[in-house]
Amino acid sequence: PSAATESSPRVPINLSHALSRLHITVRNDTANTSAYHFGEMVVNNVYTSGYYYFGSNSVKESNLGSVSVKPDHNAGEPYVGDFLIVPSSSYISVRLSLPGTDFEDINLPSRRYEMGRQYNVEVVINIQKELVISNVWISKWQTMNKDPLEMFADNKIDGN
């Protein structure tokens, strides 16, 4: 990116993330027409804290635990949960649970979770009322500032 100047004070900023993002969608299989409702998604066996080392731009995980979110859901659409987790230097097996339902927990594929990556997992509820992983893919997780920041003469930045 270019530097801000008095004549050109707006600069686009791209941010890379130090955490990992786990993006999970849960929907019915096409053969399953039952309606399900759950107000929480929980991932277990993830690192919930760690230390960021600025000089090496790395994160060292420290404590395993669980994280829960209230999933986004509109009628007729999949349930969507986004989790921010601390990257892992070793392979871990994350477990998804849906509290308040009769579904058994499901293990996600064992993997190392890396900084700045989004791990996408699609889960379907089949006709036997089981959670089944239907698709998994990894993408870069980068935030693009659509409205460039503006630097003012007093060296303050305005994001609007």
Side-chain angles (χ1 to χ4, degrees):
S2 58
T5 64
E6 189 174 337
S7 62
S8 180
R10 296 177 80 75
V11 179
I13 304 290
N14 296 333
L15 301 174
S16 295
H17 297 279
L19 297 177
S20 300
R21 181 179 185 190
L22 184 54
H23 180 83
I24 300 175
T25 59
V26 179
R27 63 174 173 78
N28 281 8
D29 187 295
T30 53
N32 185 354
T33 59
S34 299
Y36 302 104
H37 302 284
F38 52 91
E40 184 179 26
M41 286 180 165
V42 178
V43 289
N44 301 291
N45 200 43
V46 294
Y47 286 102
T48 57
S49 63
Y51 301 94
Y52 177 74
Y53 294 97
F54 186 76
S56 63
N57 188 32
S58 63
V59 175
K60 176 66 177 156
E61 70 276 7
S62 63
N63 292 319
L64 279 172
S66 63
V67 180
S68 66
V69 298
K70 180 181 179 192
D72 290 332
H73 177 69
N74 295 316
E77 305 252 337
Y79 284 86
V80 178
D82 280 308
F83 302 86
L84 297 181
I85 60 174
V86 175
S88 57
S89 60
S90 59
Y91 282 75
I92 58 174
S93 294
V94 174
R95 194 162 181 82
L96 170 67
S97 63
L98 305 175
T101 68
D102 293 333
F103 302 120
E104 290 199 24
D105 295 354
I106 185 170
N107 284 326
L108 305 185
S110 178
R111 71 175 66 254
R112 282 183 54 235
Y113 289 86
E114 297 178 29
M115 290 174 54
R117 297 277 185 226
Q118 177 171 313
Y119 298 85
N120 304 282
V121 181
E122 291 181 355
V123 176
V124 296
I125 305 169
N126 67 16
I127 197 72
Q128 292 83 19
K129 298 180 182 176
E130 300 167 320
L131 299 176
V132 178
I133 295 173
S134 68
N135 196 7
V136 177
W137 72 98
I138 302 169
S139 57
K140 277 185 158 181
W141 177 34
Q142 187 174 17
T143 301
M144 307 261 321
N145 182 355
K146 293 179 187 172
D147 297 317
L149 299 177
E150 188 167 344
M151 180 71 74
F152 292 94
D154 59 1
N155 290 328
K156 292 185 179 174
I157 296 176
D158 182 15
N160 296 325

